């Protein structure tokens, strides 16, 4: 996920999907949807993007669109905290976009909302990160083209760790100890985001578990995850966690402004961290939770989807193919000129000079070694159920075993609906 200009995280993204009918009462994004057209092609396409936090991103997307000759492409650049609700609301109206960025989500496929893009991806399929292909595939068909991969990990001030005599933590226990040693009257040891949601999946993976297994069965209800929840509770009550930062985890300001010594964030913010902190900056994965676990890096990111219920499906597919498959220069520009993201195309990732040395190269290495990708079957209801586990156990001190059992009921009900 790219840094955003408003306070919401990717896990809030599907909330609107739960109540599409209710969302239908919301206004679509403005009256002028740009369907007037002037290129003389007679084809007019509208695309939706959330407002990225990095300067220059809006101008770049509009510049690429302007270079396309076969249709007039208008961009709705949606600011504020309600990109997902505006998107879902508009998808129910005749003002719906022809294409939009989002995350792989099986409900969009099952409801017939997104078009099958296998035919345009197949010829270059081998040049994509295969984990990205897998996370967009249902029953052998590929829905959505990945635009950027966004690894998330911990950034830390080297000088503060050195001063406290601390090595970068390799276990969750060590991270808890480090947070305590690094906390002063002015600086908190650690920032995981204001609602902690960003670290739920990394904690599950680092405990040697997963959200779902290959057979789409529950894989998170393990002794290691129970242990992790108890450790997270200890951290939450320690007083060493920054819990009320002015901006959430995706924004680099908590570490940059000296509010904490270690911050969970994404590679997209690396240039901003480097600009402020220079060489006094290190990165590390989410550390292992148990002896049986291993470090993990969540790979977020954004993908382009075609609205299968739109009036211009073929024209939209043509534009997606032109921009996100044929135009490698634009793809590299989008991935590396504003924040740092990893291009999902192997050939572009290998030639992206900005990612070849120093801290960006370390980020790529962590992504390659420890990366975990979206599971297309892990739905918003399931995400919310694990958020409730964190609320029950980490924030309120409830029993992890009981909270996970409650979570299982919700997840199993969802799995039954989706997979029978």
């Amino acid at each position: 996920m790219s840094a955003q200009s408003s306070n919401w995280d990717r896990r809030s993204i599907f909330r609107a999907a739960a109540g599409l009918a209710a969302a239908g009462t919301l206004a679509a994004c403005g009256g002028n949807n740009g369907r007037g057209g002037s290129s003389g092609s007679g084809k007019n396409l509208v695309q939706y993007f959330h407002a990225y936090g990095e300067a220059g991103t809006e101008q770049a997307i509009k510049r690429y669109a302007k270079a396309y000759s076969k249709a007039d492409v208008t961009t709705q650049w949606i600011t504020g905290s309600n990109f997902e609700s505006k998107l879902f609301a508009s998808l129910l109206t005749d003002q719906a976009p022809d294409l939009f960025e989002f995350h792989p989500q099986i409900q969009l496929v099952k409801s017939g909302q997104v078009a099958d893009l296998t035919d345009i991806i197949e010829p270059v399929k081998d040049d994509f990160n295969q984990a990205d292909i897998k996370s967009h595939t249902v029953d052998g068909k590929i829905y959505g083209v990945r635009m950027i991969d966004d690894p998330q990990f911990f950034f830390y001030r080297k000088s503060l760790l050195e001063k406290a005599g601390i090595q970068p933590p390799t276990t969750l226990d060590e991270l808890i100890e480090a947070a305590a040693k690094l906390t002063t009257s002015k600086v908190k040891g650690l920032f995981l985001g204001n609602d902690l949601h960003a670290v739920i999946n990394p904690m599950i993976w680092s405990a040697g578990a997963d959200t779902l297994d290959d057979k789409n069965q529950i894989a998170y209800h393990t002794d290691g995850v129970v242990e992790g929840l108890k450790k997270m509770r200890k951290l939450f009550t320690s007083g060493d966690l920054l819990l009320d930062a002015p901006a959430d985890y995706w924004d680099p300001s908590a570490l940059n402004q000296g509010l904490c010594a270690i911050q969970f964030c994404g590679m997209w913010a690396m240039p901003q961290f480097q600009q402020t902190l220079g060489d006094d900056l290190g990165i590390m994965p989410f550390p292992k939770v148990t002896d049986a676990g291993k470090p993990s890096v969540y790979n977020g990111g954004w993908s382009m989807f075609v609205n299968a219920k739109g009036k211009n499906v073929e024209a939209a597919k043509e534009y997606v193919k032109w921009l996100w498959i044929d135009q490698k220069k634009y793809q590299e520009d989008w991935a590396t000129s504003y924040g740092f993201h990893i291009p999902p195309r192997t050939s572009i990732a290998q030639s992206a000079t900005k990612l070849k040395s120093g801290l960006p190269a370390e980020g790529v290495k962590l992504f390659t070694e420890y990366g975990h990708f979206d599971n297309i079957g892990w739905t918003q209801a399931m995400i919310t159920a694990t958020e409730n586990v964190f609320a029950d156990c980490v924030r309120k001190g409830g029993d992890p075993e009981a909270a996970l059992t409650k979570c299982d009921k919700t997840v199993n009900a969802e799995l039954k609906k989706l997979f029978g």
Side-chain angles (χ1 to χ4, degrees), residues 29-36 46 74 76 95:
C29 283
N32 173 21
N33 68 347
R35 293 193 191 274
V46 173
T74 304
Q76 293 278 4
Q95 301 288 303

Side-chain angles (χ1 to χ4, degrees), residues 122-144:
E122 194 67 51
V124 292
K125 184 177 157 182
D126 293 345
D127 189 37
F128 273 88
N129 185 316
Q130 291 308 294
D132 277 326
I133 294 292
K134 187 184 173 187
S135 70
H136 290 70
T137 300
V138 178
D139 297 331
K141 292 177 179 175
I142 307 166
Y143 299 85

Side-chain angles (χ1 to χ4, degrees), residues 155-408:
F155 290 80
Y156 60 88
R157 294 279 303 274
K158 286 180 180 176
S159 58
L160 295 180
L161 268 69
E162 277 163 25
K163 196 175 162 191
I166 301 167
Q167 290 297 316
T170 58
T171 67
L172 185 52
D173 288 329
E174 286 175 9
L175 184 65
I176 294 167
E177 284 167 32
K181 284 182 185 171
L182 291 163
T183 298
T184 66
S185 58
K186 289 178 181 170
V187 180
K188 290 290 185 187
L190 184 63
F191 181 48
L192 302 175
N194 288 327
D195 59 13
L196 312 182
H197 291 169
V199 298
I200 295 174
N201 282 10
M203 192 216 79
I204 291 170
W205 295 319
S206 289
D210 206 341
T211 50
L212 301 173
D213 64 19
D214 287 344
K215 293 176 180 169
N216 290 309
Q217 295 167 331
I218 286 170
Y220 58 79
H221 194 156
T222 67
D223 292 346
V225 170
V226 169
E227 201 178 314
L229 287 163
K230 288 176 180 170
K231 288 176 182 181
M232 292 300 291
R233 171 65 182 169
K234 183 182 171 187
L235 182 58
F236 184 75
T237 55
S238 66
D240 305 323
L241 211 52
L242 177 64
L243 290 166
D244 51 1
D248 214 339
Y249 82 99
W250 43 256
D251 187 287
S253 57
L255 189 68
N256 277 351
Q257 291 171 10
L259 304 178
C260 63
I262 304 174
Q263 174 180 346
F264 191 77
C265 193
M267 191 158 148
W268 58 80
M270 199 179 271
Q272 287 166 281
F273 280 127
Q274 288 180 310
Q275 200 177 347
T276 304
L277 304 172
D279 293 334
D280 188 21
L281 187 66
I283 55 172
M284 63 185 187
F286 195 97
K288 66 179 185 178
V289 170
T290 60
D291 290 340
K294 63 180 267 189
S296 70
V297 168
Y298 170 60
N299 176 47
W302 290 87
S303 308
M304 188 48 64
F305 296 90
V306 169
N307 178 9
K309 298 178 179 179
K311 299 178 188 114
N312 304 299
V313 176
E314 288 311 313
K317 279 176 68 174
E318 240 180 282
Y319 177 66
V320 169
K321 178 184 181 297
W322 175 82
L323 179 52
W324 299 112
I325 289 174
D326 300 340
Q327 303 300 314
K328 286 190 168 188
K329 268 188 185 171
Y330 289 151
Q331 291 160 43
E332 181 172 342
D333 180 64
W334 184 239
T336 62
S337 294
Y338 310 99
F340 286 156
H341 316 262
I342 296 174
R345 300 281 292 276
T346 311
S347 58
I348 300 174
Q350 284 170 350
S351 66
T353 48
K354 288 179 184 176
L355 306 181
K356 282 216 184 300
S357 59
L359 209 61
E362 272 184 61
V364 173
K365 190 168 182 272
L366 291 182
F367 161 85
T368 307
E369 239 171 281
Y370 302 120
H372 289 262
F373 290 66
D374 284 312
N375 183 325
I376 198 167
W378 188 245
T379 67
Q380 177 54 37
M382 299 176 194
I383 290 165
T384 302
T386 54
E387 288 172 358
N388 291 341
V389 169
F390 254 53
D392 289 349
C393 306
V394 179
R395 287 184 176 274
K396 297 172 190 165
D399 173 43
E401 201 57 65
L404 287 167
T405 301
K406 188 180 170 189
C407 182
D408 293 347

